[in-house]
Amino acid sequence: MQRHLIVNFFVLSSLFLLLVVVSNKAILAQSSANGRITGTVTYIGDGSLIHGASVRVSKLNRVVTTNEEGKFTIENLPPGSYTLIVHQEGFADITRVVEVGSGQTVVSDFALSLAGVKEQVTVTASGVEQSLFEAIASVSAVDSTEISQKMSVGLGEVINGEPGVAKRSDGPGAARPVIRGFDGDRVLVATDGTRTGSLGSQSGDHSETVDLFSAERIEVVKGPATLLYGSNAIGGVVNVISGHDEGAHPGLRGRFTILGSSNSNQFSSGGGIEYGKGPWMVWGNASGQRTGDYKAGGDFGTVENTYTRSAAASFGGGYFGNKGFINSSYSYYQNRYGIPFDPDEADEELRSLRSQRHNLKFNGGFSNLDSFIESAKFTFDFSNYRHQELVGDEVGTTFRNKIYSYRGLMDQKKYGILTGRFGFDGFQRNYSINGDETLVTGPVKQNSFAVFTLQELNFERVTMQFGARVENNRYRPQSSQLRERDFTGFSGAAGIRVGLWKDGAFVANYSHAYRAPALEELYNNGPHDGTLSFEIGNPNLKAETSDGIDLSLRQQGKRLRAEANYFYYRLKNFVFLAPTGDIDDDSGLPIAEFLQGDSRFTGTEINLDFDIADWLTLETGLDYVNARLENGTPLPRIAPLRGKFALDAHYKNFSFRPEFIAVNSQTKVFTNETPTAGYGVFNLTANYVVTRKHYANIFSVDAFNLGNKLYYNHISFLKQIAPEIGRGVRFSYTIRFF
């Protein structure tokens, strides 16, 4: 193992040194006169001027904002090609490549739409803002308008249906994302790049404590994202972006949303404001949600004990200067939700979970320095999480998880064709369980530390990316009965993006990723209602390693936008929970052990949006994953083949989108796992927008499962007793002012 790590590190280090030498020889002197870009930003529906929109030059990381007339000017640009990213909260981002000649003034106007054209940006993929089309990693994003339309207590409910993304749940309150078949500790959920500190990865009935009303967008990085985010991201990252870390803006901005739904009697409201004056900015958010028990499709009726309650609040402020910044924020989240029970079970108990999370974050850094390090950002985050599992109103078990995490990310000054960043991160975790479901004896401390780098070579039509990470994880149980474990691993990646034609590109990635076994995989030993099994951990588990490739073909034109992805990952020492066939006498639950075996994941995602006319867009999509152990046995709870067909009709301020989703049956199942039948579901969404210079009113309706189809989510632990939601209509109203 050590020899393998040394060889990998030597190879990637040698490649990096070679790239630095090549970049030195590629530096060209620039003596031509500089140019500028000017333009106007409007709303595509009625041509309204948009004040305060940000226009970013991604290559130079320079930002300007539009004035009262919606105009902007970017001065002093050396001749070359620049990607402009236009952003205004509540609207879909626009990216455009603009060529600037010597001494030339280029006029480039932008018309923002509410949604539809997917040109969002990502800061999650590489640590800097870039368009999804330019990113080497495969990324998808959900903007705030889509979040409001699908608003739910569970994060998995909101992004379920994104390419390669499914949901795992024990009811709506506990829905969590699954990426390309990877679940649990292999998918990292973060807020503004920092782990949430929840225990959502450990069990099907644990929730993610994320306030969706405060989210400006949600970014999903598919495939190993271990270089920047650690071994918990071996399957991908879901990053909830608040937008508060992106700098100051003058004046008052804010939004307020109110929402109601017929099925489950949902009522939700939330909003937030930001106020900036000079380099200073303050902000605050608050929200609350409630739902009753939902009704499933067909004649199934009400799924009992599936209610949800949540409330959240946050506030913060900071200084954003030309050379440095510092800010801090505090947030609080609490929820309570029921766990569906089996009406056919005579002695079934009424169970619910109640959780809360306090979070305190500090950010600071500097920028625009004329040195080797051009900018840097440092983060310290404290998360205090607790959840209680209740039987009736009595507390049965209490889980506690405190995490002190830190991170430093430095951006290097552009040196010829070479750009890059490097950094460090780590955390200290204190974990304990008390009560009836004490899965781990005594508290356990976990410490993690890592250093990493990500480097890019930018040629005219080719971008090459290389990275490496070394990470150490240490587990220190308080109980002498449990074994201490230490893991050190190496992750590395190499990718290339080649421009094939004006609006098309081919992207290829190779990744070697490492994951230390999770705490629950090592030490659990007891009944666990969340997985409906008596779990037996394995303190002798080895670290997982993954070697894989991602291939992508992309088109981002005016009328046609498409992306086709193929991935193949081979995981050595893959950890999984395997039923033994025996029953625990005391709990009556099936006994399951954490075992290891080599496995492979392969699959594809295909998306195509085509503008049939100026007012009509065809949207199609397909995703599929096949995951097996090396002996051919299918892995448990893998989502089946899924396809989507939709039409987006839009005229001025009105849009109308009927959608049909078809899901295949899943018969490739693990030992003792129940197969699920295929199904088709009709949905419909519509929006109407009223815009003015300083505010926008957004009226939305989301009608789901119009055929009232009875269907089951194959990934759910409780799919047989809790089918998916039946017919319903969700109404929402949002006002944004800027």
Side-chain angles (χ1 to χ4, degrees), residues 234-374:
I234 197 171
V237 171
V238 177
N239 191 14
V240 181
I241 308 292
S242 70
H244 297 316
D245 290 347
E246 297 177 354
H249 56 74
L252 184 68
R253 293 186 186 181
R255 62 174 173 172
F256 175 76
T257 296
I258 187 169
L259 180 146
S261 177
S262 60
N263 194 323
S264 79
N265 296 319
Q266 178 184 7
F267 177 79
S268 310
S269 64
I273 58 172
E274 299 177 345
Y275 179 75
K277 186 174 180 59
W280 297 93
M281 190 170 78
V282 294
W283 60 83
N285 295 275
S287 67
Q289 294 200 65
R290 66 165 303 281
T291 72
D293 297 342
Y294 74 87
K295 297 179 179 63
D299 298 325
F300 191 92
T302 300
V303 182
E304 302 290 344
N305 202 39
T306 54
Y307 70 91
T308 65
R309 306 282 188 274
S310 72
S314 63
F315 60 88
Y319 171 86
F320 299 87
N322 291 327
K323 293 291 186 179
F325 68 94
I326 184 169
N327 63 72
S328 64
S329 63
Y330 167 79
S331 63
Y332 175 76
Y333 182 94
Q334 68 174 28
N335 67 1
R336 181 169 178 173
Y337 54 93
I339 303 300
F341 64 84
D342 187 352
D344 296 331
E345 191 169 327
D347 298 325
E348 180 68 29
E349 298 172 322
L350 197 65
R351 296 173 53 247
S352 62
L353 270 77
R354 180 173 60 200
S355 63
Q356 66 176 23
R357 174 178 176 255
H358 298 269
N359 181 256
L360 184 63
K361 180 181 291 187
F362 296 92
N363 290 310
F366 48 82
S367 58
N368 301 319
L369 297 185
D370 188 16
S371 65
F372 169 68
I373 299 177
E374 186 177 56

Side-chain angles (χ1 to χ4, degrees), residues 317-442:
Y319 171 86
F320 299 87
N322 291 327
K323 293 291 186 179
F325 68 94
I326 184 169
N327 63 72
S328 64
S329 63
Y330 167 79
S331 63
Y332 175 76
Y333 182 94
Q334 68 174 28
N335 67 1
R336 181 169 178 173
Y337 54 93
I339 303 300
F341 64 84
D342 187 352
D344 296 331
E345 191 169 327
D347 298 325
E348 180 68 29
E349 298 172 322
L350 197 65
R351 296 173 53 247
S352 62
L353 270 77
R354 180 173 60 200
S355 63
Q356 66 176 23
R357 174 178 176 255
H358 298 269
N359 181 256
L360 184 63
K361 180 181 291 187
F362 296 92
N363 290 310
F366 48 82
S367 58
N368 301 319
L369 297 185
D370 188 16
S371 65
F372 169 68
I373 299 177
E374 186 177 56
S375 63
K377 179 181 179 180
F378 301 95
T379 299
F380 174 78
D381 185 274
F382 171 65
S383 175
N384 186 359
Y385 171 87
R386 184 195 73 185
H387 87 238
Q388 297 172 316
E389 301 187 352
L390 297 94
V391 179
D393 290 324
E394 298 294 323
V395 177
T397 308
T398 300
F399 290 72
R400 290 183 172 87
N401 198 47
K402 293 183 180 180
I403 295 183
Y404 303 85
S405 60
Y406 52 90
R407 180 179 178 86
L409 183 64
M410 277 67 74
D411 286 315
Q412 302 156 206
K413 186 176 182 179
K414 190 174 186 300
Y415 193 56
I417 59 173
L418 176 67
T419 60
R421 56 209 56 91
F422 60 92
F424 61 88
D425 61 27
F427 63 87
Q428 181 186 83
R429 175 187 182 193
N430 299 310
Y431 172 82
S432 63
I433 311 175
N434 295 289
D436 299 336
E437 197 177 286
T438 303
L439 294 166
V440 178
T441 303

